[in-house]
Amino acid sequence: MRILVLGAGAREHAIVLALGSEEARHEIFAAPGNAGIARDATIVELDPDSPAAVTGFALANDIDLVVIGPEAPLVAGVADAVRERGIPAFGPSRAAARLEGSKAFAKRIMEAAGVPTGRATRARTLDEVAAALDDFGAPHVVKADGLAAGKGVIVTDDRAAALAHAEMYLTTGPVLIEEFLAGPEVSLFFLSDGDRVLPLSPAQDFKRLADGDAGPNTGGMGAYSPLPWLAERFGSEAAFVDLVTKEVAEPVIRQLDVEGSPFIGLLYAGLIVTDAGVKVIEFNARFGDPETQVVLPRLDEPLSELLLAAASGRLEGRDRPRFTDDKAVTVVLASEGYPEGPLTGRVIEGTDAAESVAGVHLAHAATRVDGDDLIATGGRVLNVVAVAPTFAEARDRAYDAIRRIALEGGQFRTDIAAQA
């Protein structure tokens, strides 16, 4: 197939790597990509958020499948435009993508579908925020209603900090004040063709910057998959997946279909396992980052066939995707100053040595090439992904690879203890 992947992060690099590892010789294009993606796909100069630009390229270049990685093109309606011209697009319509684009919309869909989630209040003013904070009590949970690149959430016992966070995001729209839910978090992906859903393997990510869940919230500093501890609570990982499929994914997909917004693409369920059962924290309308980096390396069948089946409305009759028993961890390397003000422009060395470690590959997140140099261009720069028969081996491989990578004039920030 000729496949166009939209996006520039480690998630998109992980998707490109999975597609490129298949026996079928796909022609893979990417926009805008990064230095790592450029090694594994042909970079295309186009605006990935422009429906006209993406559709024009896809038509002119006989693209068989468009895979939309980040949320911005979805909210911009890129999937709608591509599908209107008869090209399969893996990604929901603008209307269905509101499941991620608006936290308030997602809460309404969950209520209508009978999906378990925490209580929430939508606030438009600081006074409304203050009243809701006092109503729910501490710990305080404040979320930007719209897209915030994974950084629009604060969980804190500090009422002043919660108010300050809300004040910052009220300049762009309402915020949600939510009931605090306690328990371990799980990320579970579902492929959907608008009618049927197929679950992938669960993962768990770590969003706090520093060891021990200290420091500010980030877009994600690491992840691992599968989750052996689920068996202790649910009897098996499969039983947990069955439960979430029946009580969360299928009702939400049905509700969106009833409302005339069928969801075609990847439904990301951010879950929390509370004493009262599994509840939804949030939905995303695309693969999660960095969870994708540990889920896809364990997939034991062609990703392209799954994505095309979902995009073409042909999931009916397919078995659930198979996964290996391997264990996978990813550790995010971030520039100094991240997330507040990451330093950019520094030379990265040692990536070839890192990838020489058995079972390790790098998913680039924010890199470019300048001559012979690899340059850091953003906050989260590289993902070190390690796969092995045991978590201990995967962790040790990741540590070994990390020690081989150097950042000119400074150090990367990372939370690797979480993977231990």
Side-chain angles (χ1 to χ4, degrees):
M1 284 193 288
R2 293 169 64 84
I3 304 172
L4 172 62
V5 179
L6 301 181
R11 165 185 49 225
E12 289 75 36
H13 195 186
I15 292 170
V16 167
L17 287 169
L19 294 170
S21 69
E22 297 176 12
E23 290 185 10
R25 294 300 184 94
H26 303 301
E27 291 185 71
I28 305 173
F29 303 85
N34 58 42
I37 293 174
R39 298 183 310 176
D40 303 296
T42 300
I43 299 299
V44 178
E45 296 292 335
L46 63 81
D47 179 0
D49 298 341
S50 168
V54 174
T55 303
F57 177 85
L59 289 170
N61 291 274
D62 297 321
I63 296 298
D64 298 302
L65 173 65
V66 176
V67 180
I68 303 173
E71 58 270 30
L74 298 172
V75 175
V78 169
D80 305 72
V82 171
R83 271 195 284 269
E84 284 173 4
R85 300 305 298 269
I87 302 168
F90 184 79
S93 65
R94 187 204 308 259
R98 286 181 294 167
L99 202 62
E100 176 173 2
S102 170
K103 301 291 189 297
F105 176 80
K107 284 290 186 181
R108 184 186 68 74
I109 291 294
M110 282 187 272
E111 181 179 1
V115 169
T117 187
R119 295 179 299 137
T121 296
R122 195 173 190 225
R124 295 181 177 276
T125 68
L126 207 55
D127 287 342
E128 291 178 352
V129 170
L133 292 175
D134 293 338
D135 181 33
F136 286 128
H140 305 295
V141 182
V142 181
K143 295 182 178 181
D145 185 40
L147 300 178
K151 304 181 189 70
V153 180
I154 188 173
V155 180
T156 179
D157 288 318
D158 186 338
R159 186 175 183 275
L163 284 169
H165 184 83
E167 187 174 21
M168 178 172 62
Y169 284 101
L170 281 171
T171 60
T172 59
V175 298
L176 255 67
I177 314 302
E178 295 191 2
E179 169 191 12
F180 175 76
L181 300 174
E185 296 184 21
V186 179
S187 300
L188 186 54
F189 300 159
F190 295 89
L191 303 168
S192 173
D193 64 3
D195 294 308
R196 178 120 193 265
V197 295
L198 290 179
L200 301 186
S201 182
Q204 187 175 56
D205 75 325
F206 299 87
K207 293 193 178 300
R208 296 288 186 175
L209 179 69
D211 289 348
D213 278 341
N217 199 44
T218 72
M221 293 301 295
Y224 73 99
S225 178
L227 309 184
W229 59 268
L230 287 173
E232 299 174 11
R233 178 73 180 266
F234 299 92
S236 67
E237 181 181 284
F240 171 82
V241 171
D242 288 342
L243 174 70
V244 178
T245 301
K246 181 180 179 180
E247 295 189 358
V248 175
E250 291 176 348
V252 164
I253 295 302
R254 284 197 299 267
Q255 184 64 33
L256 288 170
D257 194 26
V258 165
E259 296 192 8
S261 303
F263 190 102
I264 301 170
L266 196 291
L267 175 66
Y268 167 121
L271 310 163
I272 188 162
V273 182
T274 74
D275 291 340
V278 180
K279 296 189 177 184
V280 176
I281 302 172
E282 65 175 354
F283 287 120
N284 290 335
R286 38 72 189 180
F287 279 107
D289 186 345
E291 298 96 325
T292 302
Q293 290 85 293
V294 292
V295 171
L296 292 189
R298 298 181 50 245
L299 182 64
D300 198 26
E301 58 187 274
L303 176 65
S304 62
E305 294 180 8
L306 293 169
L307 301 188
L308 182 61
S312 305
R314 293 188 284 106
L315 287 182
E316 185 66 36
R318 293 191 68 101
D319 293 331
R320 289 187 178 183
R322 302 182 308 273
F323 288 85
T324 69
D325 293 329
D326 287 331
K327 310 302 186 285
V329 301
T330 187
V331 182
V332 175
L333 304 185
S335 293
E336 285 186 280
Y338 177 77
E340 298 85 2
L343 298 175
T344 60
R346 289 178 168 181
V347 175
I348 307 165
E349 298 176 341
T351 54
D352 289 342
E355 291 194 297
S356 70
V357 177
V360 168
H361 69 266
L362 301 183
H364 289 235
T367 60
R368 65 177 173 84
V369 172
D370 185 359
D372 294 329
D373 292 330
L374 181 65
I375 307 296
T377 62
R380 294 187 296 169
V381 179
L382 292 169
N383 279 219
V384 176
V385 183
V387 181
T390 69
F391 279 118
E393 291 177 80
R395 177 200 61 200
D396 291 345
R397 290 176 179 184
Y399 285 178
D400 188 7
I402 289 168
R403 285 191 290 267
R404 299 172 186 232
I405 302 173
L407 185 66
E408 178 188 47
Q411 297 179 338
F412 279 113
R413 305 186 71 170
T414 185
D415 176 0
I416 57 176
Q419 309 309 322

